[in-house]
Amino acid sequence: VISLGGSIFTVWISTRVMLTMLNLEAGKQPMPSVEEGKKAWNLFLPLLWVGILTGLVVFGASLLLILPGIYFGVALCFSQVILVDQGTRGTQALGASRALVRGRWWGTFGRLLLGGLVFGLLLVVVMGVVIGGIAILIGSSSLANGPSDPLVSGILQLIQTVILAAFMPLTVGFQVKMYRALQKTR
């Protein structure tokens, strides 16, 4: 129940961050907080639906071979941003994402890959330093097999969640910047 609640809260917060960044990138003022929060809640089910559709397409394409799955993963990666920005829903959001990437797939793939590597490495370093520091503090040289104390395990999960939450604006911002750049060059 707590994990489900945390997941819903994370989607809501990331939608709010996306709304703010889309407005700032468009040269608009961010929405008032209450209005933004309501809009994020109203977008929750459509975002979930577009995410499910995207996942099904990528999974189905991956069953054929890995390469079609990668192709559709890149082609459809802006579906949720398009839903938030333009209000385009369902399969239309998927089609709009694919049209946005069409003819620029390799450039988009390269930028996504590079951004993923940079953010991934940074996340691994931060997690390693923090978890390593905690391991030193609790006197354990290795947490590879997991801590035996449930309290320590819970604290580590909480710290990992906080670190992931701190990285969310970076990843959402990167996706919004790429989306706006693709829009401008279309």
Side-chain angles (χ1 to χ4, degrees), residues 9-24 30-41 43 47 84 168-169 172 176:
F9 184 72
T10 301
V11 170
W12 180 68
I13 290 295
S14 66
T15 305
R16 291 188 71 174
V17 169
M18 191 181 302
L19 283 165
T20 299
M21 291 185 173
L22 283 166
N23 282 331
L24 292 173
M31 290 181 198
S33 183
V34 173
E35 183 181 335
E36 184 181 84
K38 286 180 184 176
K39 185 169 184 176
W41 279 123
L43 288 170
L47 280 168
V84 172
M168 184 179 27
V172 171
V176 167

PDB file of all heavy atoms in Angstrom, residues 9-24 30-41 43 47 84 168-169 172 176:
ATOM      1  N   PHE A   9       2.121   9.179  -5.906  1.00  0.00           N
ATOM      2  CA  PHE A   9       2.649  10.493  -5.529  1.00  0.00           C
ATOM      3  C   PHE A   9       3.797  10.900  -6.454  1.00  0.00           C
ATOM      4  O   PHE A   9       3.889  12.057  -6.872  1.00  0.00           O
ATOM      5  CB  PHE A   9       3.106  10.473  -4.069  1.00  0.00           C
ATOM      6  CG  PHE A   9       3.583  11.801  -3.569  1.00  0.00           C
ATOM      7  CD1 PHE A   9       2.682  12.828  -3.332  1.00  0.00           C
ATOM      8  CD2 PHE A   9       4.931  12.013  -3.337  1.00  0.00           C
ATOM      9  CE1 PHE A   9       3.127  14.063  -2.871  1.00  0.00           C
ATOM     10  CE2 PHE A   9       5.380  13.238  -2.889  1.00  0.00           C
ATOM     11  CZ  PHE A   9       4.470  14.273  -2.644  1.00  0.00           C
ATOM     12  N   THR A  10       4.653   9.958  -6.805  1.00  0.00           N
ATOM     13  CA  THR A  10       5.777  10.243  -7.692  1.00  0.00           C
ATOM     14  C   THR A  10       5.291  10.664  -9.071  1.00  0.00           C
ATOM     15  O   THR A  10       5.822  11.616  -9.654  1.00  0.00           O
ATOM     16  CB  THR A  10       6.698   9.005  -7.799  1.00  0.00           C
ATOM     17  OG1 THR A  10       7.171   8.682  -6.490  1.00  0.00           O
ATOM     18  CG2 THR A  10       7.879   9.268  -8.709  1.00  0.00           C
ATOM     19  N   VAL A  11       4.287   9.978  -9.608  1.00  0.00           N
ATOM     20  CA  VAL A  11       3.740  10.351 -10.910  1.00  0.00           C
ATOM     21  C   VAL A  11       3.129  11.747 -10.834  1.00  0.00           C
ATOM     22  O   VAL A  11       3.314  12.574 -11.729  1.00  0.00           O
ATOM     23  CB  VAL A  11       2.691   9.312 -11.395  1.00  0.00           C
ATOM     24  CG1 VAL A  11       1.951   9.807 -12.616  1.00  0.00           C
ATOM     25  CG2 VAL A  11       3.368   7.983 -11.677  1.00  0.00           C
ATOM     26  N   TRP A  12       2.421  12.035  -9.755  1.00  0.00           N
ATOM     27  CA  TRP A  12       1.796  13.345  -9.582  1.00  0.00           C
ATOM     28  C   TRP A  12       2.853  14.452  -9.516  1.00  0.00           C
ATOM     29  O   TRP A  12       2.736  15.467 -10.191  1.00  0.00           O
ATOM     30  CB  TRP A  12       0.929  13.333  -8.326  1.00  0.00           C
ATOM     31  CG  TRP A  12       0.233  14.629  -8.032  1.00  0.00           C
ATOM     32  CD1 TRP A  12      -0.770  15.204  -8.755  1.00  0.00           C
ATOM     33  CD2 TRP A  12       0.492  15.498  -6.932  1.00  0.00           C
ATOM     34  NE1 TRP A  12      -1.157  16.382  -8.158  1.00  0.00           N
ATOM     35  CE2 TRP A  12      -0.404  16.589  -7.041  1.00  0.00           C
ATOM     36  CE3 TRP A  12       1.376  15.459  -5.857  1.00  0.00           C
ATOM     37  CZ2 TRP A  12      -0.429  17.626  -6.127  1.00  0.00           C
ATOM     38  CZ3 TRP A  12       1.347  16.490  -4.939  1.00  0.00           C
ATOM     39  CH2 TRP A  12       0.459  17.563  -5.087  1.00  0.00           C
ATOM     40  N   ILE A  13       3.883  14.219  -8.743  1.00  0.00           N
ATOM     41  CA  ILE A  13       4.949  15.221  -8.620  1.00  0.00           C
ATOM     42  C   ILE A  13       5.681  15.392  -9.950  1.00  0.00           C
ATOM     43  O   ILE A  13       5.958  16.517 -10.369  1.00  0.00           O
ATOM     44  CB  ILE A  13       5.948  14.829  -7.499  1.00  0.00           C
ATOM     45  CG1 ILE A  13       5.294  14.962  -6.130  1.00  0.00           C
ATOM     46  CG2 ILE A  13       7.211  15.657  -7.569  1.00  0.00           C
ATOM     47  CD1 ILE A  13       4.929  16.392  -5.750  1.00  0.00           C
ATOM     48  N   SER A  14       5.998  14.300 -10.632  1.00  0.00           N
ATOM     49  CA  SER A  14       6.714  14.422 -11.905  1.00  0.00           C
ATOM     50  C   SER A  14       5.845  15.131 -12.945  1.00  0.00           C
ATOM     51  O   SER A  14       6.358  15.880 -13.776  1.00  0.00           O
ATOM     52  CB  SER A  14       7.187  13.065 -12.421  1.00  0.00           C
ATOM     53  OG  SER A  14       6.114  12.243 -12.761  1.00  0.00           O
ATOM     54  N   THR A  15       4.531  14.943 -12.883  1.00  0.00           N
ATOM     55  CA  THR A  15       3.627  15.658 -13.793  1.00  0.00           C
ATOM     56  C   THR A  15       3.648  17.147 -13.483  1.00  0.00           C
ATOM     57  O   THR A  15       3.682  17.983 -14.394  1.00  0.00           O
ATOM     58  CB  THR A  15       2.195  15.102 -13.680  1.00  0.00           C
ATOM     59  OG1 THR A  15       2.220  13.693 -13.912  1.00  0.00           O
ATOM     60  CG2 THR A  15       1.261  15.773 -14.679  1.00  0.00           C
ATOM     61  N   ARG A  16       3.680  17.491 -12.216  1.00  0.00           N
ATOM     62  CA  ARG A  16       3.756  18.909 -11.833  1.00  0.00           C
ATOM     63  C   ARG A  16       5.079  19.522 -12.290  1.00  0.00           C
ATOM     64  O   ARG A  16       5.101  20.646 -12.795  1.00  0.00           O
ATOM     65  CB  ARG A  16       3.593  19.061 -10.326  1.00  0.00           C
ATOM     66  CG  ARG A  16       2.193  18.736  -9.851  1.00  0.00           C
ATOM     67  CD  ARG A  16       2.000  19.079  -8.425  1.00  0.00           C
ATOM     68  NE  ARG A  16       1.982  20.532  -8.317  1.00  0.00           N
ATOM     69  CZ  ARG A  16       1.705  21.170  -7.200  1.00  0.00           C
ATOM     70  NH1 ARG A  16       1.402  20.495  -6.117  1.00  0.00           N
ATOM     71  NH2 ARG A  16       1.713  22.486  -7.153  1.00  0.00           N
ATOM     72  N   VAL A  17       6.157  18.786 -12.121  1.00  0.00           N
ATOM     73  CA  VAL A  17       7.462  19.279 -12.586  1.00  0.00           C
ATOM     74  C   VAL A  17       7.429  19.468 -14.104  1.00  0.00           C
ATOM     75  O   VAL A  17       7.915  20.472 -14.630  1.00  0.00           O
ATOM     76  CB  VAL A  17       8.597  18.309 -12.168  1.00  0.00           C
ATOM     77  CG1 VAL A  17       9.909  18.646 -12.846  1.00  0.00           C
ATOM     78  CG2 VAL A  17       8.766  18.317 -10.643  1.00  0.00           C
ATOM     79  N   MET A  18       6.833  18.511 -14.813  1.00  0.00           N
ATOM     80  CA  MET A  18       6.740  18.603 -16.267  1.00  0.00           C
ATOM     81  C   MET A  18       5.897  19.812 -16.689  1.00  0.00           C
ATOM     82  O   MET A  18       6.270  20.542 -17.611  1.00  0.00           O
ATOM     83  CB  MET A  18       6.146  17.313 -16.843  1.00  0.00           C
ATOM     84  CG  MET A  18       6.251  17.216 -18.352  1.00  0.00           C
ATOM     85  SD  MET A  18       5.519  15.685 -18.998  1.00  0.00           S
ATOM     86  CE  MET A  18       6.445  14.429 -18.149  1.00  0.00           C
ATOM     87  N   LEU A  19       4.771  20.033 -16.017  1.00  0.00           N
ATOM     88  CA  LEU A  19       3.930  21.191 -16.326  1.00  0.00           C
ATOM     89  C   LEU A  19       4.708  22.498 -16.137  1.00  0.00           C
ATOM     90  O   LEU A  19       4.658  23.392 -16.993  1.00  0.00           O
ATOM     91  CB  LEU A  19       2.686  21.200 -15.428  1.00  0.00           C
ATOM     92  CG  LEU A  19       1.570  20.230 -15.791  1.00  0.00           C
ATOM     93  CD1 LEU A  19       0.584  20.086 -14.643  1.00  0.00           C
ATOM     94  CD2 LEU A  19       0.863  20.693 -17.049  1.00  0.00           C
ATOM     95  N   THR A  20       5.431  22.610 -15.042  1.00  0.00           N
ATOM     96  CA  THR A  20       6.209  23.814 -14.768  1.00  0.00           C
ATOM     97  C   THR A  20       7.289  24.009 -15.818  1.00  0.00           C
ATOM     98  O   THR A  20       7.453  25.113 -16.358  1.00  0.00           O
ATOM     99  CB  THR A  20       6.843  23.734 -13.366  1.00  0.00           C
ATOM    100  OG1 THR A  20       5.789  23.645 -12.399  1.00  0.00           O
ATOM    101  CG2 THR A  20       7.707  24.945 -13.078  1.00  0.00           C
ATOM    102  N   MET A  21       8.011  22.951 -16.133  1.00  0.00           N
ATOM    103  CA  MET A  21       9.099  23.064 -17.105  1.00  0.00           C
ATOM    104  C   MET A  21       8.586  23.356 -18.510  1.00  0.00           C
ATOM    105  O   MET A  21       9.208  24.116 -19.251  1.00  0.00           O
ATOM    106  CB  MET A  21       9.974  21.824 -17.071  1.00  0.00           C
ATOM    107  CG  MET A  21      10.761  21.729 -15.799  1.00  0.00           C
ATOM    108  SD  MET A  21      11.895  20.358 -15.833  1.00  0.00           S
ATOM    109  CE  MET A  21      12.788  20.642 -14.326  1.00  0.00           C
ATOM    110  N   LEU A  22       7.469  22.765 -18.884  1.00  0.00           N
ATOM    111  CA  LEU A  22       6.889  23.056 -20.197  1.00  0.00           C
ATOM    112  C   LEU A  22       6.484  24.528 -20.293  1.00  0.00           C
ATOM    113  O   LEU A  22       6.722  25.170 -21.315  1.00  0.00           O
ATOM    114  CB  LEU A  22       5.680  22.157 -20.471  1.00  0.00           C
ATOM    115  CG  LEU A  22       5.990  20.726 -20.866  1.00  0.00           C
ATOM    116  CD1 LEU A  22       4.749  19.850 -20.780  1.00  0.00           C
ATOM    117  CD2 LEU A  22       6.600  20.659 -22.255  1.00  0.00           C
ATOM    118  N   ASN A  23       5.888  25.051 -19.240  1.00  0.00           N
ATOM    119  CA  ASN A  23       5.510  26.467 -19.237  1.00  0.00           C
ATOM    120  C   ASN A  23       6.740  27.365 -19.293  1.00  0.00           C
ATOM    121  O   ASN A  23       6.762  28.342 -20.047  1.00  0.00           O
ATOM    122  CB  ASN A  23       4.663  26.807 -18.015  1.00  0.00           C
ATOM    123  CG  ASN A  23       3.230  26.350 -18.165  1.00  0.00           C
ATOM    124  OD1 ASN A  23       2.707  26.280 -19.262  1.00  0.00           O
ATOM    125  ND2 ASN A  23       2.591  26.029 -17.068  1.00  0.00           N
ATOM    126  N   LEU A  24       7.755  27.056 -18.518  1.00  0.00           N
ATOM    127  CA  LEU A  24       8.965  27.874 -18.520  1.00  0.00           C
ATOM    128  C   LEU A  24       9.669  27.821 -19.871  1.00  0.00           C
ATOM    129  O   LEU A  24      10.149  28.839 -20.367  1.00  0.00           O
ATOM    130  CB  LEU A  24       9.922  27.430 -17.402  1.00  0.00           C
ATOM    131  CG  LEU A  24       9.436  27.709 -15.978  1.00  0.00           C
ATOM    132  CD1 LEU A  24      10.386  27.080 -14.963  1.00  0.00           C
ATOM    133  CD2 LEU A  24       9.297  29.204 -15.731  1.00  0.00           C
ATOM    134  N   PRO A  30       4.693  29.835 -14.701  1.00  0.00           N
ATOM    135  CA  PRO A  30       4.134  28.582 -14.170  1.00  0.00           C
ATOM    136  C   PRO A  30       2.719  28.817 -13.633  1.00  0.00           C
ATOM    137  O   PRO A  30       2.367  29.927 -13.237  1.00  0.00           O
ATOM    138  CB  PRO A  30       5.084  28.211 -13.027  1.00  0.00           C
ATOM    139  CG  PRO A  30       6.341  28.957 -13.315  1.00  0.00           C
ATOM    140  CD  PRO A  30       5.937  30.208 -14.035  1.00  0.00           C
ATOM    141  N   MET A  31       1.919  27.769 -13.641  1.00  0.00           N
ATOM    142  CA  MET A  31       0.553  27.842 -13.115  1.00  0.00           C
ATOM    143  C   MET A  31       0.610  28.063 -11.611  1.00  0.00           C
ATOM    144  O   MET A  31       1.568  27.659 -10.959  1.00  0.00           O
ATOM    145  CB  MET A  31      -0.179  26.518 -13.343  1.00  0.00           C
ATOM    146  CG  MET A  31      -0.515  26.192 -14.728  1.00  0.00           C
ATOM    147  SD  MET A  31      -1.403  24.599 -14.675  1.00  0.00           S
ATOM    148  CE  MET A  31      -1.227  24.126 -16.351  1.00  0.00           C
ATOM    149  N   PRO A  32      -0.459  28.651 -11.059  1.00  0.00           N
ATOM    150  CA  PRO A  32      -0.550  28.685  -9.599  1.00  0.00           C
ATOM    151  C   PRO A  32      -0.527  27.256  -9.051  1.00  0.00           C
ATOM    152  O   PRO A  32      -1.027  26.324  -9.689  1.00  0.00           O
ATOM    153  CB  PRO A  32      -1.901  29.356  -9.339  1.00  0.00           C
ATOM    154  CG  PRO A  32      -2.197  30.123 -10.588  1.00  0.00           C
ATOM    155  CD  PRO A  32      -1.555  29.353 -11.706  1.00  0.00           C
ATOM    156  N   SER A  33       0.032  27.085  -7.876  1.00  0.00           N
ATOM    157  CA  SER A  33       0.262  25.753  -7.314  1.00  0.00           C
ATOM    158  C   SER A  33      -1.007  24.907  -7.216  1.00  0.00           C
ATOM    159  O   SER A  33      -0.995  23.726  -7.563  1.00  0.00           O
ATOM    160  CB  SER A  33       0.895  25.893  -5.930  1.00  0.00           C
ATOM    161  OG  SER A  33       1.190  24.636  -5.406  1.00  0.00           O
ATOM    162  N   VAL A  34      -2.097  25.503  -6.768  1.00  0.00           N
ATOM    163  CA  VAL A  34      -3.342  24.736  -6.610  1.00  0.00           C
ATOM    164  C   VAL A  34      -3.861  24.277  -7.971  1.00  0.00           C
ATOM    165  O   VAL A  34      -4.255  23.115  -8.138  1.00  0.00           O
ATOM    166  CB  VAL A  34      -4.411  25.586  -5.873  1.00  0.00           C
ATOM    167  CG1 VAL A  34      -5.753  24.880  -5.853  1.00  0.00           C
ATOM    168  CG2 VAL A  34      -3.948  25.899  -4.463  1.00  0.00           C
ATOM    169  N   GLU A  35      -3.838  25.168  -8.948  1.00  0.00           N
ATOM    170  CA  GLU A  35      -4.302  24.827 -10.298  1.00  0.00           C
ATOM    171  C   GLU A  35      -3.419  23.740 -10.920  1.00  0.00           C
ATOM    172  O   GLU A  35      -3.922  22.803 -11.547  1.00  0.00           O
ATOM    173  CB  GLU A  35      -4.282  26.086 -11.175  1.00  0.00           C
ATOM    174  CG  GLU A  35      -4.814  25.869 -12.563  1.00  0.00           C
ATOM    175  CD  GLU A  35      -4.741  27.135 -13.406  1.00  0.00           C
ATOM    176  OE1 GLU A  35      -4.738  28.242 -12.845  1.00  0.00           O
ATOM    177  OE2 GLU A  35      -4.670  26.996 -14.642  1.00  0.00           O
ATOM    178  N   GLU A  36      -2.109  23.871 -10.719  1.00  0.00           N
ATOM    179  CA  GLU A  36      -1.174  22.876 -11.252  1.00  0.00           C
ATOM    180  C   GLU A  36      -1.409  21.515 -10.615  1.00  0.00           C
ATOM    181  O   GLU A  36      -1.381  20.478 -11.288  1.00  0.00           O
ATOM    182  CB  GLU A  36       0.257  23.338 -11.000  1.00  0.00           C
ATOM    183  CG  GLU A  36       1.308  22.431 -11.581  1.00  0.00           C
ATOM    184  CD  GLU A  36       2.691  22.945 -11.270  1.00  0.00           C
ATOM    185  OE1 GLU A  36       3.192  22.661 -10.163  1.00  0.00           O
ATOM    186  OE2 GLU A  36       3.272  23.633 -12.125  1.00  0.00           O
ATOM    187  N   GLY A  37      -1.628  21.495  -9.307  1.00  0.00           N
ATOM    188  CA  GLY A  37      -1.895  20.239  -8.609  1.00  0.00           C
ATOM    189  C   GLY A  37      -3.147  19.553  -9.122  1.00  0.00           C
ATOM    190  O   GLY A  37      -3.168  18.342  -9.332  1.00  0.00           O
ATOM    191  N   LYS A  38      -4.220  20.339  -9.346  1.00  0.00           N
ATOM    192  CA  LYS A  38      -5.467  19.771  -9.871  1.00  0.00           C
ATOM    193  C   LYS A  38      -5.271  19.227 -11.282  1.00  0.00           C
ATOM    194  O   LYS A  38      -5.758  18.146 -11.615  1.00  0.00           O
ATOM    195  CB  LYS A  38      -6.573  20.828  -9.870  1.00  0.00           C
ATOM    196  CG  LYS A  38      -7.109  21.139  -8.498  1.00  0.00           C
ATOM    197  CD  LYS A  38      -8.191  22.194  -8.560  1.00  0.00           C
ATOM    198  CE  LYS A  38      -8.653  22.566  -7.172  1.00  0.00           C
ATOM    199  NZ  LYS A  38      -9.636  23.663  -7.190  1.00  0.00           N
ATOM    200  N   LYS A  39      -4.553  19.992 -12.118  1.00  0.00           N
ATOM    201  CA  LYS A  39      -4.320  19.530 -13.485  1.00  0.00           C
ATOM    202  C   LYS A  39      -3.502  18.241 -13.481  1.00  0.00           C
ATOM    203  O   LYS A  39      -3.768  17.326 -14.263  1.00  0.00           O
ATOM    204  CB  LYS A  39      -3.614  20.604 -14.308  1.00  0.00           C
ATOM    205  CG  LYS A  39      -3.476  20.205 -15.760  1.00  0.00           C
ATOM    206  CD  LYS A  39      -3.029  21.335 -16.648  1.00  0.00           C
ATOM    207  CE  LYS A  39      -3.009  20.848 -18.093  1.00  0.00           C
ATOM    208  NZ  LYS A  39      -2.674  21.904 -19.023  1.00  0.00           N
ATOM    209  N   ALA A  40      -2.506  18.158 -12.591  1.00  0.00           N
ATOM    210  CA  ALA A  40      -1.687  16.938 -12.495  1.00  0.00           C
ATOM    211  C   ALA A  40      -2.543  15.742 -12.103  1.00  0.00           C
ATOM    212  O   ALA A  40      -2.372  14.648 -12.642  1.00  0.00           O
ATOM    213  CB  ALA A  40      -0.542  17.139 -11.502  1.00  0.00           C
ATOM    214  N   TRP A  41      -3.493  15.921 -11.160  1.00  0.00           N
ATOM    215  CA  TRP A  41      -4.377  14.819 -10.783  1.00  0.00           C
ATOM    216  C   TRP A  41      -5.285  14.432 -11.942  1.00  0.00           C
ATOM    217  O   TRP A  41      -5.561  13.252 -12.163  1.00  0.00           O
ATOM    218  CB  TRP A  41      -5.229  15.169  -9.567  1.00  0.00           C
ATOM    219  CG  TRP A  41      -4.507  15.008  -8.273  1.00  0.00           C
ATOM    220  CD1 TRP A  41      -4.323  15.965  -7.330  1.00  0.00           C
ATOM    221  CD2 TRP A  41      -3.875  13.825  -7.751  1.00  0.00           C
ATOM    222  NE1 TRP A  41      -3.599  15.459  -6.270  1.00  0.00           N
ATOM    223  CE2 TRP A  41      -3.313  14.146  -6.506  1.00  0.00           C
ATOM    224  CE3 TRP A  41      -3.719  12.523  -8.237  1.00  0.00           C
ATOM    225  CZ2 TRP A  41      -2.622  13.223  -5.733  1.00  0.00           C
ATOM    226  CZ3 TRP A  41      -3.016  11.610  -7.457  1.00  0.00           C
ATOM    227  CH2 TRP A  41      -2.486  11.958  -6.227  1.00  0.00           C
ATOM    228  N   LEU A  43      -4.609  14.597 -15.009  1.00  0.00           N
ATOM    229  CA  LEU A  43      -3.820  13.931 -16.043  1.00  0.00           C
ATOM    230  C   LEU A  43      -3.341  12.536 -15.622  1.00  0.00           C
ATOM    231  O   LEU A  43      -2.795  11.806 -16.434  1.00  0.00           O
ATOM    232  CB  LEU A  43      -2.601  14.791 -16.411  1.00  0.00           C
ATOM    233  CG  LEU A  43      -2.892  16.057 -17.196  1.00  0.00           C
ATOM    234  CD1 LEU A  43      -1.639  16.928 -17.283  1.00  0.00           C
ATOM    235  CD2 LEU A  43      -3.401  15.709 -18.580  1.00  0.00           C
ATOM    236  N   LEU A  47      -2.259   9.743 -18.304  1.00  0.00           N
ATOM    237  CA  LEU A  47      -0.822   9.433 -18.340  1.00  0.00           C
ATOM    238  C   LEU A  47      -0.576   7.948 -18.122  1.00  0.00           C
ATOM    239  O   LEU A  47       0.266   7.340 -18.782  1.00  0.00           O
ATOM    240  CB  LEU A  47      -0.060  10.239 -17.291  1.00  0.00           C
ATOM    241  CG  LEU A  47       0.261  11.673 -17.640  1.00  0.00           C
ATOM    242  CD1 LEU A  47       0.753  12.434 -16.418  1.00  0.00           C
ATOM    243  CD2 LEU A  47       1.296  11.736 -18.751  1.00  0.00           C
ATOM    244  N   VAL A  84       0.726  15.889 -21.777  1.00  0.00           N
ATOM    245  CA  VAL A  84       0.725  16.985 -20.807  1.00  0.00           C
ATOM    246  C   VAL A  84       0.723  18.338 -21.519  1.00  0.00           C
ATOM    247  O   VAL A  84      -0.008  19.249 -21.134  1.00  0.00           O
ATOM    248  CB  VAL A  84       1.933  16.866 -19.849  1.00  0.00           C
ATOM    249  CG1 VAL A  84       2.061  18.100 -18.970  1.00  0.00           C
ATOM    250  CG2 VAL A  84       1.809  15.618 -18.989  1.00  0.00           C
ATOM    251  N   MET A 168      14.777  13.507 -10.227  1.00  0.00           N
ATOM    252  CA  MET A 168      13.600  13.617 -11.087  1.00  0.00           C
ATOM    253  C   MET A 168      13.560  14.918 -11.891  1.00  0.00           C
ATOM    254  O   MET A 168      13.322  14.877 -13.093  1.00  0.00           O
ATOM    255  CB  MET A 168      12.312  13.453 -10.284  1.00  0.00           C
ATOM    256  CG  MET A 168      11.094  13.476 -11.149  1.00  0.00           C
ATOM    257  SD  MET A 168       9.512  13.272 -10.317  1.00  0.00           S
ATOM    258  CE  MET A 168       9.758  13.869  -8.699  1.00  0.00           C
ATOM    259  N   PRO A 169      13.800  16.084 -11.283  1.00  0.00           N
ATOM    260  CA  PRO A 169      13.764  17.307 -12.094  1.00  0.00           C
ATOM    261  C   PRO A 169      14.804  17.307 -13.218  1.00  0.00           C
ATOM    262  O   PRO A 169      14.569  17.873 -14.288  1.00  0.00           O
ATOM    263  CB  PRO A 169      14.046  18.422 -11.089  1.00  0.00           C
ATOM    264  CG  PRO A 169      13.667  17.856  -9.773  1.00  0.00           C
ATOM    265  CD  PRO A 169      13.949  16.385  -9.864  1.00  0.00           C
ATOM    266  N   VAL A 172      13.320  14.858 -16.001  1.00  0.00           N
ATOM    267  CA  VAL A 172      12.139  15.462 -16.622  1.00  0.00           C
ATOM    268  C   VAL A 172      12.555  16.693 -17.427  1.00  0.00           C
ATOM    269  O   VAL A 172      12.099  16.911 -18.552  1.00  0.00           O
ATOM    270  CB  VAL A 172      11.073  15.820 -15.562  1.00  0.00           C
ATOM    271  CG1 VAL A 172       9.947  16.650 -16.159  1.00  0.00           C
ATOM    272  CG2 VAL A 172      10.506  14.564 -14.919  1.00  0.00           C
ATOM    273  N   VAL A 176      11.959  17.365 -21.402  1.00  0.00           N
ATOM    274  CA  VAL A 176      11.232  18.543 -21.869  1.00  0.00           C
ATOM    275  C   VAL A 176      12.100  19.359 -22.822  1.00  0.00           C
ATOM    276  O   VAL A 176      11.630  19.834 -23.864  1.00  0.00           O
ATOM    277  CB  VAL A 176      10.743  19.401 -20.673  1.00  0.00           C
ATOM    278  CG1 VAL A 176      10.259  20.775 -21.121  1.00  0.00           C
ATOM    279  CG2 VAL A 176       9.636  18.675 -19.914  1.00  0.00           C
TER     280      VAL A 176
END
